[in-house]
Amino acid sequence: MRRKLLLAPLLALTLSTVARAEGLVLSERDGSDGATFIDQLKAEETGPIVLINLFDVAPEDAADFHTRWTAAADVLRRKPGFVNTTLHRAVGASRLWLNRAEWRSLQDFRAAMRSDDFLAIAKTMKQQGFRRIYTAEPTQGPLSFP
């Protein structure tokens, strides 16, 4: 039986919390999807990577979260290998925020994550999110018509 992973019901909480989607349990701590974020950081992947973080942010914490995310992004965008990042906020009453960041390589991303200036900002963020690293397939743009 094929399971559909629906983004809407995902709740990416802190490392001690579990997110659920149609029977698939995603946990940062136990590698319930086959790997942990730490396992992924140790991989020997070459080429460009994409980091996707899904955060559950209480409405009263939204402004503070955005400010801290912006500060972290400002530090990371100055690191070698950084390509871009975009923070997405779910529409409506959803508490979900999604960060998508592209890096030239996993090695560059690892170095940035270990930098003192990034670690100082990361420690101030309440929300850790559900994080995974991906390789990117070729981009599919719009169809063009004659």
Side-chain angles (χ1 to χ4, degrees):
M1 181 174 132
R2 195 169 156 225
R3 293 184 188 160
K4 287 170 78 177
L5 180 64
L6 300 178
L7 189 57
L10 280 178
L11 296 177
L13 305 174
T14 61
L15 297 178
S16 63
T17 310
V18 175
R20 300 183 188 281
E22 280 195 21
L24 177 63
V25 177
L26 300 176
S27 171
E28 186 67 42
R29 192 175 355 173
D30 67 8
S32 57
D33 64 327
T36 66
F37 181 68
I38 300 302
D39 292 338
Q40 289 188 305
L41 284 174
K42 295 176 185 174
E44 295 301 321
E45 192 64 44
T46 60
I49 59 109
V50 174
L51 167 73
I52 296 181
N53 303 56
L54 189 61
F55 300 95
D56 177 29
V57 180
E60 63 272 15
D61 295 332
D64 181 65
F65 171 76
H66 188 269
T67 298
R68 292 174 194 274
W69 180 89
T70 301
D74 191 51
V75 166
L76 293 174
R77 71 186 183 95
R78 300 170 195 281
K79 300 296 182 191
F82 176 84
V83 176
N84 65 56
T85 190
T86 306
L87 183 63
H88 305 267
R89 186 175 187 173
V91 298
S94 177
R95 298 163 41 121
L96 296 180
W97 295 64
L98 183 138
N99 171 52
R100 181 185 182 281
E102 292 183 50
W103 288 83
R104 183 179 57 205
S105 70
L106 182 57
Q107 295 75 17
D108 289 332
F109 176 66
R110 275 195 300 250
M113 293 292 99
R114 293 177 180 147
S115 67
D116 291 338
D117 47 353
F118 173 74
L119 290 172
I121 291 172
K123 288 177 184 176
T124 70
M125 296 185 77
K126 286 181 10 181
Q127 299 85 1
Q128 295 296 311
F130 182 79
R131 308 164 290 183
R132 287 298 180 263
I133 300 167
Y134 301 86
T135 56
E137 297 296 322
T139 300
Q140 301 295 316
L143 295 175
S144 60
F145 298 99

